Amino acid sequence: MTSTNVLKKINFSAGPAILPASVLQQASQAVADLDGSGLSILEISHRSDAFDSVLIETEALVRELMQVGDEYGVLFLSGGASTQFFYTAMNLLNPDETAGFLDTGAWSAKAIKETKLFGKVNVIASSKDTNYDHIPTGYTVPEGLKYVHVTSNNTIFGTQFREWPETSAPLVADMSSDILSREIPLERFGLIYAGAQKNLGPAGVTLVIVRKDLLGTVQRDLPSMLDYRVHIAGGSTFNTPPVYPIYVTMLTLRWVKEQGGVAAMQQHNERKAKLLYDEIDRNPKFRGTVANEYSRSMMNVTFECTNEADTQAFQEAAEAAGLDGITGHRSVGGFRASIYNSMPYEGVEALVKVMREF
């Protein structure tokens, strides 16, 4: 896997997150001059041939890397994953229908709240009572649900689905923090959405992959801007799209393909995660905060000092070594190392070195 970090600091931020060095270089060049056109990527028309080619390639790369067939629409929208919390329910769920949810953290809780504005909600399982420290198991998904919603990876608590719920209903997934990090059975998903700022590109664009036959089934009138069908028909240009974030997403997708695609990304991420978790489990100075190995995230590794009095000293040691962004989320404390696709193995080695020397 190509090393991506040429800076003195190593960015472990949960998002906006690290990007490949080659992507940053190309993106910065395009701000001054896009492919020798004499125009900046920031000032070209979203109706121009130059941007049309960007959109076409970006969609083609998503379809190739994730094996997305024509039965799905691929969209690049604004508003982040938080907008998709209600967007999905507005487009898929009638007032008398029920969506199932697995409540595994702050983001799924917010999606549940928004969905209740448009239909019924059945919280099938939750790990809230233990502060979301694990992915629930041992539940049964009832029949008759319109869809089942999951948040595939939880940035705050460091948990991730390893297996998908067994259900006859289509899955709807917020994959903002682990999209393209591993292979998935796409045929089981009716809709996937992901904010770009973890594995896809910069903040400002949201990827949506939606099965077309699920659309047009709700009884409510939809505003044009909130209707997936309108954006599919308009090729993500019904209104002015986020041109620059889409361009950087295209560059990032090119990089993923160059590395060997999603299968290679998965191997890369498993290797990084193993290195860090092995050190957490081995080192008496630290302990993981996720309840079991089955629930541990490959993207966001959460841990804390065994002795709370060591917390500040370790933070200072990490900062002195050029490790940035490892402070845990304010709601849980401790530490969080976000090791998305673009984090090189050498970056995780640098963190482990500090832990061993501490």
Side-chain angles (χ1 to χ4, degrees):
M1 188 64 57
T2 304
S3 178
T4 61
N5 198 311
V6 296
L7 304 177
K8 292 182 179 179
K9 287 192 174 183
I10 303 174
N11 181 12
F12 287 96
S13 171
I18 187 172
L19 286 167
S22 60
V23 169
L24 291 176
Q25 182 178 13
Q26 294 172 75
S28 61
Q29 176 59 42
V31 170
D33 184 354
L34 176 63
D35 299 331
S37 67
L39 294 172
S40 167
I41 183 65
L42 302 179
E43 61 188 17
I44 65 169
S45 169
H46 68 290
R47 305 291 186 192
S48 66
D49 290 342
F51 183 64
D52 190 47
S53 67
V54 168
L55 262 181
I56 290 171
E57 182 177 351
T58 309
E59 178 177 338
L61 283 166
V62 169
R63 290 187 181 278
E64 178 183 354
L65 290 168
M66 296 186 66
Q67 300 179 16
V68 181
D70 291 340
E71 68 273 25
Y72 290 88
V74 174
L75 300 173
F76 304 98
L77 304 177
S78 302
S82 293
T83 296
Q84 295 303 313
F85 294 160
F86 69 82
Y87 215 124
T88 51
M90 182 181 282
N91 278 263
L92 301 182
L93 191 65
N94 282 305
D96 60 345
E97 294 174 326
T98 302
F101 273 81
L102 295 175
D103 176 25
T104 54
W107 308 118
S108 55
K110 289 182 177 182
I112 288 168
K113 178 184 176 181
E114 300 298 300
T115 301
K116 288 179 178 178
L117 298 173
F118 300 98
K120 300 176 183 178
V121 168
N122 180 350
V123 180
I124 301 163
S126 175
S127 51
K128 184 178 181 179
D129 60 345
T130 57
N131 198 30
Y132 298 118
D133 68 350
H134 67 283
I135 297 295
T137 57
Y139 57 85
T140 300
V141 179
E143 294 295 323
L145 300 176
K146 187 67 176 290
Y147 59 84
V148 175
H149 184 285
V150 297
T151 304
S152 58
N153 183 75
N154 299 277
T155 55
I156 294 176
F157 302 98
T159 62
Q160 185 178 33
F161 279 87
R162 297 289 183 88
E163 296 180 359
W164 306 107
E166 291 296 330
T167 172
S168 58
L171 294 174
V172 170
D174 176 358
M175 290 191 181
S176 294
S177 51
D178 65 352
I179 189 86
L180 292 174
S181 70
R182 55 179 172 166
E183 295 181 299
I184 64 167
L186 182 65
E187 68 278 1
R188 297 185 59 185
F189 292 86
L191 192 151
I192 292 169
Y193 60 93
Q197 64 271 17
K198 320 289 187 181
N199 275 339
L200 284 174
V205 63
T206 305
L207 171 67
V208 175
I209 302 172
V210 56
R211 216 174 74 199
K212 297 175 187 176
D213 67 325
L214 298 178
L215 304 179
T217 63
V218 292
Q219 298 157 2
R220 67 181 60 89
D221 293 326
L222 297 171
S224 297
M225 274 295 292
L226 300 179
D227 190 333
Y228 288 128
R229 294 170 299 174
V230 171
H231 292 289
I232 291 172
S236 296
T237 60
F238 173 71
N239 66 319
T240 305
V243 171
Y244 188 59
I246 292 173
Y247 175 75
V248 181
T249 296
M250 179 193 74
L251 298 178
T252 307
L253 292 168
R254 283 180 181 175
W255 176 84
V256 171
K257 182 177 179 179
E258 290 166 0
Q259 305 311 305
V262 177
M265 283 290 117
Q266 181 168 336
Q267 292 178 3
H268 172 56
N269 291 324
E270 288 173 346
R271 182 169 174 252
K272 288 182 299 182
K274 184 179 187 306
L275 174 65
L276 186 48
Y277 281 120
D278 282 352
E279 180 60 25
I280 292 169
D281 293 340
R282 181 204 69 82
N283 193 325
K285 286 281 189 178
F286 303 95
R287 62 186 172 208
T289 57
V290 176
N292 55 65
E293 184 177 351
Y294 170 83
S295 299
R296 281 176 162 179
S297 169
M298 286 198 300
M299 298 283 94
N300 309 98
V301 179
T302 55
F303 60 100
E304 60 190 4
C305 290
T306 308
N307 185 344
E308 190 175 347
D310 288 337
T311 299
Q312 184 60 36
F314 179 70
Q315 179 76 42
E316 292 172 357
E319 291 174 356
L323 311 183
D324 187 70
I326 67 164
T327 303
H329 190 272
R330 59 187 178 275
S331 65
V332 293
F335 299 99
R336 171 176 56 179
S338 297
I339 53 174
Y340 301 118
N341 282 355
S342 301
M343 172 61 68
Y345 188 78
E346 294 80 7
V348 180
E349 284 183 318
L351 172 56
V352 168
K353 181 174 184 291
V354 175
M355 296 171 74
R356 289 174 177 168
E357 294 174 350
F358 185 64

